[in-house]
Amino acid sequence: MKVLVTGCAGFIGSHVSKKLLAQNITVIGIDILNDYYDVQLKKDRLKQLKHDNFTFIKEDIANKDEIDAIFKQFKITHVINLAAQAGVRYSIDNPWAYLHSNLTGFLSILEACRHNSVKHLVYASSSSVYGGNNALPFNEEDSVDHPLSFYAATKKSNEMMAHSYSHLYKIPSTGLRFFTVYGPWGRPDMSPILFADKIYKGEQINVFNYGNHTRDFTYIDDIVQGVVRIVTKIPRAHATKNANATPNSSSAPFKIYNIGNNQPIKLLDYIHTLEKSIGKKAKIKLLPLQKGDVLDTLANVDDLMAAVGFSPNTDLQTGIHHFIKWYEDYYL
């Protein structure tokens, strides 16, 4: 196996790369190292990936000629595409960044897979595709026709683009709908670091929807377990009419899985867990719902459990404890 991991300096990408390297798998990592958030954090993640089997290339996945050349040079067999412009709220003011990375960039990955006989493309989707759905838990067969943010729209588009290439060119592809990933080396624009930083500094936390959100918080080690296992679970075409196809039955070699903890946590309970681990009370300001936010998330992960034995087993208290230990070591 020669696995290309895009977004290898990102939160999930760095953890996935590290796990693959621990299994002595050859990893070619690509990352643009943009300044959406602290570049030094990305560079520090890369320092964790020093290994004889690791090659890092600074590149934009939207540069199709360069990406195709990388596929050819390294004879890529499997792809884990985690490079994307992330963030629901950032997409409200910066939609063009999402068009470039999430659509143009993903197309260049699909084209490279098409022309280089890749055995399996695994790519990041998001729980945000469920949008306006309010029936929990979210199932892969549920409608995803009502995205609430442009970020969510690009992730649904990725699933549709992947299906078209799976159908036209028989490229096996698997989309993973991630549910609120947290843990050490997390993104500083996400709530764990945002909240922890303000609690330590005694500053006010803005809590939207008056704290009534529930989220399926999923610890990074559990996510990595699922991603790495799915790489070798190559989807097969099913004998079904496309008119009746679902993410779990398509005449193309195509699959979609939820990957989450399957445990809903109230946002205020999550903040209280942070307080206990830090040993300090938060100053909370309750605010109305923000544009683009999904009210609640909860993953049905039965399909991923059946496929690869996915078994998230990190409870929130344990996960937050590990996160806070890393936060204190890195930031304080």
Side-chain angles (χ1 to χ4, degrees):
M1 289 175 65
K2 293 184 177 180
V3 182
L4 178 73
V5 179
T6 72
C8 67
F11 174 32
I12 300 175
S14 61
H15 280 276
V16 167
S17 297
K18 188 174 183 179
K19 184 68 172 180
L20 292 170
L21 292 169
Q23 297 177 359
N24 288 317
I25 293 171
T26 298
V27 176
I28 296 85
I30 294 178
D31 203 293
I32 189 61
L33 297 177
N34 68 21
D35 61 358
Y36 169 61
Y37 61 82
D38 183 17
V39 175
Q40 188 58 51
L41 175 60
K42 299 179 183 183
K43 291 180 178 179
D44 289 340
R45 290 181 185 136
L46 286 175
K47 292 176 184 177
Q48 311 296 310
L49 303 180
K50 289 183 178 179
H51 195 286
D52 291 342
N53 290 345
F54 181 67
T55 302
F56 173 68
I57 302 168
K58 184 180 178 181
E59 190 54 79
D60 185 345
I61 61 169
N63 291 337
K64 62 183 184 64
D65 292 339
E66 288 78 3
I67 294 301
D68 192 55
I70 290 167
F71 272 70
K72 286 181 167 60
Q73 176 184 351
F74 292 96
K75 297 179 173 57
I76 301 299
T77 62
H78 298 71
V79 177
I80 304 175
N81 185 64
L82 301 171
Q85 178 58 59
V88 169
R89 291 164 188 169
Y90 190 73
S91 71
I92 302 295
D93 298 320
N94 301 277
W96 292 103
Y98 293 76
L99 177 67
H100 178 81
S101 295
N102 300 10
L103 299 180
T104 302
F106 190 58
L107 179 58
S108 76
I109 295 294
L110 288 171
E111 279 288 285
C113 290
R114 170 190 175 188
H115 293 295
N116 291 279
S117 301
V118 166
K119 294 180 180 179
H120 191 192
L121 165 64
V122 178
Y123 61 94
S125 185
S126 168
S127 62
S128 65
V129 300
Y130 289 106
N133 292 6
N134 53 26
L136 297 177
F138 294 151
N139 296 293
E140 291 90 345
E141 296 87 354
D142 291 346
S143 169
V144 289
D145 291 335
H146 302 93
L148 300 183
S149 68
F150 188 62
Y151 168 72
T154 65
K155 287 302 182 180
K156 178 186 176 180
S157 298
N158 286 168
E159 296 179 0
M160 298 170 70
M161 293 163 71
H163 188 275
S164 69
Y165 269 66
S166 294
H167 172 73
L168 291 169
Y169 310 114
K170 310 308 176 188
I171 300 169
S173 68
T174 299
L176 296 174
R177 293 173 176 168
F178 292 108
F179 281 70
T180 316
V181 188
Y182 75 99
W185 298 101
R187 295 202 331 253
D189 64 317
M190 295 183 69
S191 65
I193 292 182
L194 288 174
F195 288 177
D197 188 57
K198 289 186 179 299
I199 292 172
Y200 276 107
K201 293 178 179 177
E203 296 176 356
Q204 178 179 279
I205 293 175
N206 290 332
V207 178
F208 296 96
N209 194 33
Y210 303 105
N212 293 321
H213 284 317
T214 60
R215 289 289 182 266
D216 198 354
F217 290 100
T218 313
Y219 189 63
I220 184 63
D221 288 1
D222 293 329
I223 288 287
V224 169
Q225 171 213 137
V227 174
V228 171
R229 288 184 183 183
I230 208 67
V231 172
T232 54
K233 182 70 174 181
I234 298 176
R236 308 296 181 189
H238 295 271
T240 184
K241 295 181 179 179
N242 272 337
N244 298 320
T246 74
N248 294 319
S249 67
S250 171
S251 60
F254 170 88
K255 291 287 287 186
I256 295 286
Y257 295 104
N258 290 333
I259 181 165
N261 198 45
N262 191 230
Q263 292 288 332
I265 303 293
K266 292 182 179 179
L267 186 55
L268 290 177
D269 290 340
Y270 160 71
I271 294 171
H272 294 329
T273 304
L274 278 171
E275 291 174 328
K276 289 178 183 177
S277 191
I278 293 170
K280 189 175 181 180
K281 293 290 290 183
K283 297 178 180 178
I284 296 173
K285 182 177 182 180
L286 300 177
L287 295 169
L289 183 70
Q290 274 206 141
K291 284 184 178 180
D293 276 357
V294 173
L295 290 176
D296 304 293
T297 67
L298 176 62
N300 181 330
V301 294
D302 289 350
D303 287 349
L304 191 58
M305 292 176 69
V308 296
F310 174 69
S311 180
N313 55 22
T314 308
D315 61 73
L316 186 70
Q317 290 75 20
T318 301
I320 290 295
H321 172 75
H322 292 319
F323 162 72
I324 290 299
K325 185 179 184 305
W326 167 80
Y327 178 95
E328 292 177 341
D329 289 342
Y330 188 78
Y331 284 106
L332 301 183

